[in-house]
């Protein structure tokens, strides 16, 4: 019996220090860092124009997008930063050349930049942002696109009223998912890592944010998957509405 009384306090001690991670982290989150392209904006219009520039080769779209991400990391590693749109144009020319598709710089730029600035939001986005705002969360876009680009995108998608602040790696000239980009974003906004949740439809983005100490949520858009060799995100959801509904109500908590 004596041993039992000694065991009970020890058990309670273990329980106190083994609260599920999601519960501990969720209670701290005040701010949503929101990725833009594919996460909240639908890229289908741009993909259509890029496919047309590639002579109708829709099978080359994923190759082009992967190459664009690849060379954004190259730009970071060799300290030769260029705007994301410029990298996209350059890599589109590379894909065209490797597949013997005639394409000029001007044609490549027109295929990417023009539709990129006027992408529509996914159907769930406005409602999801409204729920987040009503629950008391601050929403900050954090993108690899330029400041001019994201401001135009938010205005054309009619999302500007839902956004509290816009961040771009253009300032630090270091693309996500480099850890320094997330650390810069935290310093720029003045929040601690545990107070922020990075929300993205890209496995590489949530992987980088998690390694930088942020809470993370993965929106499983069509064709998107998580990288299995890193820590799993705190949330995996089908859309922004589902995530917003799962997060706690900060306005109630602060009463």
């Amino acid at each position: 019996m004596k041993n039992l009384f000694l065991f009970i306090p020890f058990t309670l001690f273990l329980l106190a220090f083994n609260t599920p991670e999601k519960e501990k982290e969720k209670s701290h989150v005040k701010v949503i860092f929101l990725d833009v392209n594919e996460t909240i904006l639908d890229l289908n219009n741009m993909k259509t124009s890029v496919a047309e520039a590639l002579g109708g080769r829709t099978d080359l779209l994923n190759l082009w997008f992967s190459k664009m991400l690849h060379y954004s990391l190259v730009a970071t590693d060799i300290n030769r930063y260029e705007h994301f749109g410029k990298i996209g144009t350059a890599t589109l020319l590379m894909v065209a050349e490797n597949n013997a598709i005639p394409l000029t710089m001007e044609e490549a730029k027109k295929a990417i930049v023009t539709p990129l600035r006027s992408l529509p939001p996914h159907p769930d986005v406005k409602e999801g942002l409204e729920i987040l705002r009503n629950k008391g969360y601050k929403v900050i876009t954090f993108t690899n696109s330029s400041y001019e680009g994201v401001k135009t995108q938010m205005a054309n998608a009619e999302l500007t009223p839902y956004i509290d602040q816009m961040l771009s790696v253009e300032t630090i000239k270091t693309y996500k998912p480099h850890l320094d980009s997330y650390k810069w974003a935290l310093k720029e906004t003045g929040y601690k890592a545990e107070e922020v949740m990075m929300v993205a439809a890209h496995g590489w983005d949530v992987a980088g944010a998690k390694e930088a100490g942020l809470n993370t949520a993965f929106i499983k858009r069509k064709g998107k998957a998580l990288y299995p060799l890193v820590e799993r995100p705190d949330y995996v959801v089908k859309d922004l509405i589902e995530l917003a509904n799962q997060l706690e109500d900060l306005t109630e908590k602060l009463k």
Side-chain angles (χ1 to χ4, degrees), residues 36-98:
V36 176
N37 296 317
E38 288 197 298
T39 300
I40 61 174
L41 297 183
D42 189 340
L43 293 188
N44 280 334
N45 291 347
M46 188 184 71
K47 288 179 180 178
T48 298
S49 68
V50 170
E52 289 174 355
L54 292 171
R57 293 284 303 275
T58 56
D59 59 303
L60 295 176
L61 287 174
N62 286 337
L63 174 62
W64 163 68
F65 198 75
S66 296
K67 198 172 282 288
M68 179 169 59
L69 294 174
H70 174 81
Y71 278 92
S72 70
L73 297 180
V74 170
T76 293
D77 286 342
I78 66 174
N79 295 321
R80 287 293 298 270
Y81 174 84
E82 298 285 356
H83 286 177
F84 206 45
K86 195 170 182 178
I87 293 174
T89 300
T91 51
L92 182 56
L93 286 170
M94 293 169 70
V95 172
E97 180 180 346
N98 289 337

Side-chain angles (χ1 to χ4, degrees), residues 32-36 40 139-143 150 154 163-168 176 198:
I32 304 297
F33 277 3
L34 193 60
D35 179 54
V36 176
I40 61 174
V139 177
I140 299 173
T141 55
F142 182 27
T143 177
V150 71
M154 293 299 99
I163 308 302
D164 296 290
Q165 188 177 351
M166 299 180 195
L167 295 179
S168 166
K176 296 185 296 175
M198 184 73 223

Side-chain angles (χ1 to χ4, degrees), residues 20-22 25 197-198 200 202-220 224-238 242 246:
E21 285 300 308
K22 186 179 291 187
E25 293 172 344
M197 176 174 289
M198 184 73 223
H202 303 288
W204 50 265
D205 203 346
V206 293
K210 176 58 71 174
E211 288 297 316
L214 282 68
N215 302 287
T216 54
F218 177 67
I219 298 182
K220 193 171 174 55
K224 299 301 172 186
L226 288 167
Y227 180 47
L229 299 183
V230 295
E231 188 177 349
R232 189 173 175 81
D234 303 287
Y235 293 85
V236 177
V237 295
K238 70 177 186 298
E242 182 179 356
Q246 287 189 24

